[in-house]
């Protein structure tokens, strides 16, 4: 049996070794998921909901264990990992309730002898592929609505972080969700993508990850016309206007920028600050950023863990070097940022400009690059001038300015004086090449449902 080792990014030691799934086993799991679908969809919604509620309770009871697993395989600080478990579980709680609210409708007919009814049905077997940056949350956002809708699901977690998924699936089984209704496979993304997209049984692909991989999955899904949901990359702008509350703007920038060492799809990548307040904003931000304690996430009081691996460190260093070459000023010398292993100190870069990579490419690391602006409308255009459209943030205390910015930003998730907009009860997803479909909110169950329409005649 081929084995896969999961490494701790803080120590580069093996956390655990797991068996790879063979192609034959993966296809068998998909077949079993289909058999399970035929009975899971027949359960009444209240019964499905009760099992999801039990799963929510079990995850809550095991939150410390799950948080430790997340820290071990992903590296984020333990307190942040505990927050992720609660956040992931909030999706299970939300969709446990939504399972009972999948409503149909009646439509006035154009003939007194007719009656028209619409109803919602689960799409079928779902193949899910997720990244390593939120090992619990990214998978919960898919598993919970899929199961609530009456679908069954086969999940492929990132190879860096499969252990959290494995434990969550075990807890789901313990909660009474049938073993074949929720399963995982340990496969490379390339193999899982091929097996899911080529399978005539899999009706839906739901993917969270990078835009290039998302595009390849959309193309591969075309042959069997699969229903797809895509949660892809971002390049979030932050606009700090001259009337903003600076203390609030700085604290919220840190929340969006340095959580998970900057490795989130809604991380601020480009910070645009009005020229009148840039000096004070940069001073405050630098002071707080330099106070962040970097270390092994299992140690007390650590604010920022390691990056996921060596390649991630190299990519961030490349963005910093490129910024310096293009006239950027770093808040600490670049040769002092690498502090061994996958650890990197956070840094503020002033004097950023549009020639820099950090203004065009998703960095996925702890750099806060600040560019000044004078004209608000011009900077909104700059903020929109990207193929991405996931999250954007702005800070202003004037409601006219705020609604003006909100209306003009081409983004799916917008934080106004808020650096942490994501929530289970709200629809999360992007415009443009950041994907399509939404996760969370009443919208998040729709991608797992088909509408069926019944026309009754001659009544
Ligand atoms: P990634 O390289 O696209 O990997 C994500 C997942 O896709 C992993 O499970 C990976 O498997 C798999 N994969 C890789 N190549 C594949 C292929 N050819 N076909 C099918 N699956 C494949 O992205 P990442 O670096 O892990 O994650 C970071 C990206 O995710 C960023 O762009 C970030 O913005 C995005 N993201 C978006 C959201 C959102 O909600 N919009 C949330 C979080 C992250 P392996 O195990 O083989 O790597």
């Amino acid at each position: 049996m081929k084995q896969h080792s999961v490494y701790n990014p803080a120590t580069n030691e093996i956390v655990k070794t797991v068996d790879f799934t063979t192609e034959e086993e993966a296809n068998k799991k998909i077949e079993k998921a289909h058999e399970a679908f035929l009975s899971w969809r027949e359960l009444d919604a209240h019964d499905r909901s009760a099992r999801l509620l039990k799963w929510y309770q079990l995850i809550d009871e095991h939150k410390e264990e799950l948080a430790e697993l997340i820290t071990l395989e992903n590296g984020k600080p333990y307190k942040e990992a505990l927050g992720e478990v609660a956040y992931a579980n909030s999706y299970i709680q939300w969709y446990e309730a939504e399972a009972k609210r999948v409503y149909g409708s009646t439509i006035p007919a154009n003939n007194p002898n007719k009656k028209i009814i619409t109803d919602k049905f689960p799409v079928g077997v779902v193949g899910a592929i997720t990244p390593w940056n939120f090992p619990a949350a990214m998978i919960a956002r898919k598993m919970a609505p899929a199961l609530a809708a009456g679908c069954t699901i086969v999940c492929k977690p990132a190879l860096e972080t499969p252990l959290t998924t494995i434990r969550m699936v075990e807890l789901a089984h313990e909660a009474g969700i049938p073993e074949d209704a929720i399963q995982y496979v340990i496969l490379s993304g390339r193999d899982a993508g091929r097996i899911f997209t080529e399978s005539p049984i899999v009706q839906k692909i739901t993917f969270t990850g990078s835009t290039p991989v998302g595009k390849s999955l959309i193309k591969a899904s075309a042959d069997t016309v699969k229903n797809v949901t895509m949660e892809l990359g971002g390049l979030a702008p932050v606009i700090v206007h001259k009337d903003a509350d600076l203390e609030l703007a700085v604290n919220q920038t840190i929340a969006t920028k340095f959580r998970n060492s900057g490795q989130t799809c809604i991380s601020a990548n480009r910070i645009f600050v009005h020229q009148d307040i840039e000096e004070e904003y940069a001073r405050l931000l630098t002071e707080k950023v330099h106070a962040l304690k970097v270390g092994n996430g299992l140690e007390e009081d650590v604010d920022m863990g390691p990056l996921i691996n060596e390649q991630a460190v190299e990519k961030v260093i490349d963005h910093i070097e490129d910024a310096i070459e293009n006239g950027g000023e770093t808040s600490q010398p670049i040769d002092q940022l690498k502090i061994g292993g996958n650890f990197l100190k956070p840094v503020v870069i002033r004097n950023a400009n549009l020639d820099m990579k950090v203004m065009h490419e998703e960095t996925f690391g702890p750099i806060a690059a600040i560019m000044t602006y004078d004209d608000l409308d011009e900077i909104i255009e700059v903020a929109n001038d990207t193929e991405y459209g996931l999250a954007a943030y702005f800070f202003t205390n004037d409601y006219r300015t705020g609604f003006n910015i909100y209306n003009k930003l081409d983004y799916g998730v917008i934080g106004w004086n808020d650096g942490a907009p994501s929530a289970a009860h709200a629809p999360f997803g992007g415009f443009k090449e950041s994907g399509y479909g939404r996760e969370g909110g009443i919208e998040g169950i729709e991608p797992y449902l088909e509408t069926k329409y019944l026309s009754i005649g001659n009544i």
Side-chain angles (χ1 to χ4, degrees):
M1 177 73 68
K2 212 172 139 204
Q3 303 257 293
H4 169 65
S5 295
V6 179
Y7 288 87
N8 179 343
T11 61
N12 285 325
E13 286 166 358
I14 293 177
V15 181
K16 200 170 175 183
T17 297
V18 291
D19 290 340
F20 263 111
T21 309
T22 64
E23 183 155 349
E24 198 184 338
E25 285 167 342
N27 280 314
K28 191 84 202 147
K29 280 174 185 261
I30 292 170
E31 280 168 29
K32 291 263 182 204
H34 186 252
E35 283 166 30
F37 170 65
L38 301 178
S39 47
W40 182 249
R41 70 173 176 185
E42 295 301 325
L43 278 189
D44 70 81
H46 292 256
D47 193 345
R48 284 203 300 269
S49 165
R51 293 174 202 226
L52 283 165
L53 178 59
K54 180 72 188 157
W55 186 27
Y56 164 81
Q57 288 161 344
L58 284 176
I59 287 180
D60 192 51
E61 281 167 28
H62 291 80
K63 58 178 180 279
E64 285 91 2
E65 177 199 342
L66 285 163
E68 193 176 324
L69 263 186
I70 292 174
T71 299
L72 284 173
E73 62 180 355
N74 165 281
K76 69 179 65 174
Y78 177 75
K79 62 186 172 199
E80 216 176 290
L82 258 185
E84 183 188 335
V85 176
Y87 170 69
N89 218 9
S90 69
Y91 282 87
I92 298 174
Q93 185 183 37
W94 175 262
Y95 287 108
E96 165 268 307
E98 284 301 288
K100 295 176 282 191
R101 296 180 192 135
V102 175
Y103 302 130
S105 65
T106 58
I107 297 169
N110 60 351
N111 178 326
N113 294 326
K114 278 196 172 197
K115 190 152 190 77
I116 299 176
I117 299 171
T118 74
D119 206 353
K120 299 279 174 76
F121 286 77
V123 297
V125 175
V126 177
I129 301 180
T130 50
W132 46 264
N133 61 348
F134 289 90
M138 295 302 100
I139 205 86
R141 294 203 317 199
K142 301 181 185 311
M143 295 190 289
L147 291 166
C151 297
T152 55
I153 184 162
V154 181
C155 308
K156 178 262 175 293
L159 286 177
E160 287 88 348
T161 58
L163 304 178
T164 308
T165 300
I166 293 174
R167 192 66 189 116
M168 284 172 72
V169 168
E170 284 169 1
L171 291 172
H173 296 158
E174 214 176 295
I177 299 170
E179 292 214 351
D180 295 332
I182 176 168
Q183 306 180 68
Y184 61 83
V185 287
I186 305 299
L187 285 169
S188 73
R190 198 170 288 279
D191 286 343
R194 181 176 48 74
I195 293 168
F196 286 165
T197 53
E198 285 179 0
S199 167
I201 297 174
V202 173
Q203 292 299 315
K204 179 178 179 72
I205 302 284
T206 171
F207 173 72
T208 300
S210 60
T211 295
V213 172
K215 287 181 183 178
S216 73
L217 284 168
I218 296 168
K219 284 183 195 151
S221 296
D223 279 345
T224 47
V225 194
K226 293 197 195 312
N227 173 324
V228 293
T229 295
M230 292 286 146
E231 294 285 353
L232 308 177
L235 194 74
V238 177
I239 297 173
V240 186
H241 201 49
K242 57 186 169 188
D243 63 354
D245 174 336
L246 278 196
E247 184 84 25
L248 175 93
V250 165
N251 288 338
Q252 296 298 307
T253 304
I254 289 175
T256 156
K257 180 64 253 186
F258 295 99
R259 192 159 46 101
N260 205 15
S261 307
Q263 303 170 113
T264 86
C265 53
I266 58 170
S267 274
N269 227 84
R270 305 170 289 154
I271 304 174
F272 303 115
V273 183
H274 193 275
Q275 60 188 20
D276 292 358
I277 53 161
E278 192 270 346
E279 190 148 350
E280 182 60 3
Y281 173 88
R283 188 190 63 73
L284 270 174
L285 184 69
T286 304
E287 196 180 290
K288 295 198 179 204
V289 164
H290 286 191
L292 294 173
K293 189 176 165 200
V294 181
N296 185 322
L298 288 180
E299 287 165 16
E300 282 278 304
D301 299 330
V302 162
D303 299 304
M304 227 181 75
L307 297 192
I308 192 70
N309 53 33
E310 181 61 27
Q311 295 94 289
V313 173
E314 291 312 322
K315 181 174 182 193
V316 178
I317 291 289
D318 175 55
H319 275 202
I320 300 170
E321 282 172 348
D322 171 79
I324 294 170
E325 273 167 31
N326 282 290
E329 295 159 21
T330 57
S331 59
Q332 35 194 345
I334 185 165
D335 55 5
Q336 289 175 21
L337 297 177
K338 268 179 144 179
I339 48 176
N342 300 322
F343 291 97
L344 203 56
K345 281 194 195 167
V347 69
V348 176
I349 299 175
R350 290 179 70 187
N351 211 18
N353 58 63
L354 297 178
D355 292 330
M356 295 177 179
K357 284 185 185 172
V358 68
M359 290 287 153
H360 303 284
E361 291 176 25
E362 196 178 21
T363 308
F364 245 51
I367 315 174
I370 306 172
M371 177 174 144
T372 55
Y373 72 88
D374 179 24
D375 185 276
L376 183 59
D377 283 328
E378 269 173 35
I379 209 66
I380 295 171
E381 271 182 41
V382 170
N384 283 336
D385 187 18
T386 162
E387 65 272 28
Y388 294 109
L390 187 56
Y393 308 87
F394 62 87
F395 295 88
T396 173
N397 277 342
D398 182 89
Y399 80 91
R400 290 182 196 84
T401 308
F403 278 108
N404 177 35
I405 304 174
Y406 167 73
N407 286 333
K408 288 179 177 161
L409 283 173
D410 298 330
Y411 288 82
V413 180
I414 296 190
W416 175 356
N417 291 344
D418 184 6
S422 180
H425 40 275
F428 184 101
F431 285 17
K432 301 195 270 185
E433 292 193 14
S434 289
Y436 43 75
R438 293 292 180 269
E439 290 186 337
I442 51 174
E443 293 85 348
I445 198 166
E446 287 297 328
Y448 299 95
L449 295 165
E450 290 281 17
T451 299
K452 204 184 266 188
Y453 136 58
L454 175 68
S455 176
I456 310 170
N458 298 299
I459 50 179

